[in-house]
């Protein structure tokens, strides 16, 4: 057999390629001024950014697209991307118009993203934006806080949205159940709406109204999101809260999309039922 020469067969080349992808992901999602450390075992051999990155195109595409590296600037004229106060530019492969530049400091195995042009414009999936309604601006602030390294602010905004939507959850519960409830059930609801804390309201409403898809081993996603973000606010560092935000984000997105879908299906069913002629 001949010597292994391609990247698929060369473990070292694979490690370098993987770390370049990781560095590219940090360019896109990493917080400004946060240190990213390249592992020592490949650090000396990683000296350029990846040729492409995955990034939300906020131009005409309005979706995640592949962006290609179009130019690099290094003041020292070297072929390496390492340097102090340099920038790298990527352009959307689809529309060929939207460009993103990242300014950075890269010294040995240590990397900092120190700026980006155009400035951060938070992209929100249209389905999530519709589901959040008037809470969408708070979610934009959560994303922006996370991008600037303000993890405590990011989880604070998430918790605020959960609490705001808890009242909407209670209203939905009333709309769906009130007519069929006996007087004790109605009294329990009114008491819960006025006297319960948010965590208690969430548990009460979730058990009676949320679809099974937001439950796992008896725990509902509304309560889980509220508990985890509250814990972050009350005792975690900025960096730890960024991790919490990233862990919560997918659950947060799916929860509100499912809740919006549940409400839409209920309203459509009610309209169809009323349209039936005697």
């Amino acid at each position: 057999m001949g010597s292994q020469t391609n990247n698929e067969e060369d473990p070292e080349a694979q490690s370098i390629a993987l770390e370049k992808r990781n560095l590219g992901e940090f360019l896109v999602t990493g917080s400004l001024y946060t240190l990213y450390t390249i592992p020592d075992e490949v650090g000396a051999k990683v000296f350029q950014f990846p040729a492409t990155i995955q990034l939300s195109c906020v131009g005409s595409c309005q979706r995640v697209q592949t962006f290609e590296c179009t130019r690099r600037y290094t003041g020292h004229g070297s072929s390496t991307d390492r340097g102090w106060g340099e920038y790298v530019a990527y352009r959307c492969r689809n529309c060929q118009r939207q460009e993103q530049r990242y300014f950075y400091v890269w010294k040995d195995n240590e990397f900092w993203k120190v700026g980006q042009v155009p400035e951060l414009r938070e992209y929100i999936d249209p389905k999530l934006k519709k589901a959040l309604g008037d809470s969408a601006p708070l979610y934009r602030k959560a994303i922006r806080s996370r991008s600037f390294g303000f993890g405590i602010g990011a989880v604070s905004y998430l918790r605020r949205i959960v609490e705001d939507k808890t009242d909407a959850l209670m209203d939905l519960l009333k709309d769906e159940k009130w007519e069929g409830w006996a007087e004790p059930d109605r009294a329990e609801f009114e008491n819960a709406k006025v006297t319960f804390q948010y965590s208690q309201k969430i548990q009460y409403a979730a058990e009676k109204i949320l679809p099974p898809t937001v439950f796992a081993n008896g725990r509902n996603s509304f309560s889980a999101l509220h508990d985890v973000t509250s814990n972050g606010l009350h005792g975690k560092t900025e960096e730890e809260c960024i991790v919490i935000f990233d862990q919560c984000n997918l659950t947060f997105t799916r929860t509100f999309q499912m809740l919006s879908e549940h409400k839409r299906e209920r309203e459509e069913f009610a309209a169809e039922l009323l349209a039936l002629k005697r």
Side-chain angles (χ1 to χ4, degrees), residues 217-229:
N217 296 325
R219 191 184 191 195
N220 72 82
S221 58
F222 250 75
S223 294
L225 287 167
H226 192 267
D227 291 347
V228 171
T229 52

Side-chain angles (χ1 to χ4, degrees), residues 52-63:
T52 61
I53 58 175
Q54 298 299 306
L55 179 66
S56 294
C57 178
V58 295
S60 58
C61 298
Q62 289 295 306
R63 59 179 297 180

Side-chain angles (χ1 to χ4, degrees), residues 110-249:
E110 297 182 331
F111 179 87
W112 293 264
K113 182 172 66 172
V114 298
Q116 54 190 52
V117 177
E119 68 177 22
L120 180 68
R121 290 162 60 188
E122 300 82 4
Y123 171 79
I124 302 179
D125 182 274
K127 291 182 179 179
L128 177 59
K129 183 178 181 180
K130 182 178 179 181
L132 291 177
D134 56 7
S135 292
L138 292 177
Y139 186 62
R140 290 186 184 278
K141 290 180 180 180
I143 297 175
R144 173 158 292 201
S145 296
R146 186 252 180 259
S147 297
F148 279 90
F150 304 139
I152 295 174
V155 298
S156 176
Y157 282 121
L158 277 194
R159 191 181 76 158
R160 168 68 182 276
I161 295 170
V162 172
E163 290 180 348
D164 286 352
K165 291 302 179 182
T166 298
D167 289 333
L169 193 64
M170 293 289 285
D171 292 338
L172 181 61
L173 173 61
K174 183 177 181 178
D175 291 343
E176 187 164 319
K177 302 289 187 179
W178 188 262
E179 294 300 324
W181 271 343
E183 190 57 37
D185 296 315
R186 293 182 177 184
E188 181 187 24
F189 173 85
E190 294 294 350
N191 179 64
K193 192 166 186 179
V194 174
T195 66
F196 281 12
Q197 296 178 345
Y198 277 109
S199 57
Q200 295 172 309
K201 281 185 183 180
I202 293 169
Q203 193 64 36
Y204 168 80
E207 292 176 354
K208 296 180 181 296
I209 190 72
L210 288 180
T213 46
V214 303
F215 285 83
N217 296 325
R219 191 184 191 195
N220 72 82
S221 58
F222 250 75
S223 294
L225 287 167
H226 192 267
D227 291 347
V228 171
T229 52
S230 295
N231 290 338
L233 287 176
H234 295 149
K236 301 297 183 181
T237 65
E238 295 280 15
E239 292 76 14
E240 289 171 329
C241 282
I242 288 175
V243 174
I244 290 172
F245 178 87
D246 290 345
Q247 291 173 338
C248 287
N249 206 20

Side-chain angles (χ1 to χ4, degrees), residues 29-164:
T29 64
S31 301
L32 291 177
Y33 314 115
T34 300
L35 172 64
Y36 177 79
T37 304
I38 302 173
D40 288 336
E41 55 269 23
V42 296
K45 299 176 182 178
V46 176
F47 51 86
Q48 282 191 327
F49 295 109
T52 61
I53 58 175
Q54 298 299 306
L55 179 66
S56 294
C57 178
V58 295
S60 58
C61 298
Q62 289 295 306
R63 59 179 297 180
V64 174
Q65 297 284 11
T66 297
F67 277 61
E68 293 181 316
C69 185
T70 55
R71 52 187 151 156
R72 298 176 167 92
Y73 171 79
T74 53
H76 48 74
S78 171
S79 59
T80 175
D81 288 338
R82 297 185 184 189
W84 189 276
E86 317 292 7
Y87 81 78
V88 61
Y90 286 85
R91 180 177 294 125
C92 177
R93 178 184 284 176
N94 184 60
C95 69
Q96 289 294 317
R97 290 191 297 272
Q98 188 66 28
E99 185 179 80
Q100 185 70 50
R101 295 186 184 187
Y102 296 103
F103 297 83
Y104 63 89
V105 171
W106 187 351
K107 182 180 180 182
D108 299 326
N109 291 6
E110 297 182 331
F111 179 87
W112 293 264
K113 182 172 66 172
V114 298
Q116 54 190 52
V117 177
E119 68 177 22
L120 180 68
R121 290 162 60 188
E122 300 82 4
Y123 171 79
I124 302 179
D125 182 274
K127 291 182 179 179
L128 177 59
K129 183 178 181 180
K130 182 178 179 181
L132 291 177
D134 56 7
S135 292
L138 292 177
Y139 186 62
R140 290 186 184 278
K141 290 180 180 180
I143 297 175
R144 173 158 292 201
S145 296
R146 186 252 180 259
S147 297
F148 279 90
F150 304 139
I152 295 174
V155 298
S156 176
Y157 282 121
L158 277 194
R159 191 181 76 158
R160 168 68 182 276
I161 295 170
V162 172
E163 290 180 348
D164 286 352

